[in-house]
Amino acid sequence: FPTLTTPMESELSIKIRELWERPLDSLSTYADIGRLATRIDVIDLTSGENQESLVESQELEPNECNEKGCKQNSICLAEVFRKVSSKIESAETYKKISTAIDEFGVSAGSEPDLEMHVKTLFKSIENEGKEGPTAKVLKLVNQAALAVAITPVKLAASERCGLPTDQLITKDVRTSDGWRVVIRIAPSEITLSHTRKEQSLAGVASPKGWGFSWRLVVAFERDLSRIKDVKCEVTAHVFQPGVSRHRRAELRKAFPIPRGGGEAA
């Protein structure tokens, strides 16, 4: 997190790596990735485009699955697995994974709860009992990764401004864009980005409501041998007309945007 000290940044990297090294069965990925299926995008940058500008972009492209009007999570999730695995697995392994994805689509169908089907899919794409590249990219799509990233930011918020802690409490925005995931596959690295929206307890639609967006970016080596960088940052603020100028200033201090960031109205 750019406004915190280097030790705090290192601590975040360590905690994310520890999560990444844990067995999939100990994480909430099976449940979370199924619920998020229509909000996950995979962007192919292997043609050599400049991936840095896209990783740093404040704006998210419209979700492709939602743009097509797809409402079936299993179809969207199958497409995510297919896009990722086709770019990072060997041809032989991809053939095996493609078959597993087809079987997943048949078994999951239109069921709303995909957790057990997702678990079966992950198990079926293991390589001799070990997680392969596709699993290593997708396993950090879970609530624990978000909690590890944002909790220190929230705990330190009152120390950065003149507002009491009880006036800085936020809750998740539970809309289709409240939690988005973007996977970018480039020639030299793979990045997994979570973008999350938070709102004041009164709600962002309240006349005195406010909120902010933040992003966690995990950059992997292209061969998935290690995580090479982790970043968490606030990307935007939202203030309703009833939020005073003084309060806005204090909230900006509490949840600072790095230089070059944006702000909603």
Side-chain angles (χ1 to χ4, degrees), residues 96-97 99-101 103-104 117-127:
K96 171 188 172 184
I97 291 175
T99 299
I101 293 170
E103 293 172 352
F104 163 78
H117 298 288
V118 172
K119 181 176 181 178
T120 300
L121 176 56
F122 270 105
K123 295 295 183 183
S124 67
I125 66 173
E126 288 181 348
N127 183 12

Side-chain angles (χ1 to χ4, degrees), residues 7 28 33 35 65 69 114 122 136 149 154 221:
S28 62
I33 200 170
R35 293 188 296 105
C65 205
L114 300 179
F122 270 105
K136 287 182 177 181
K154 289 185 174 183
E221 292 286 359

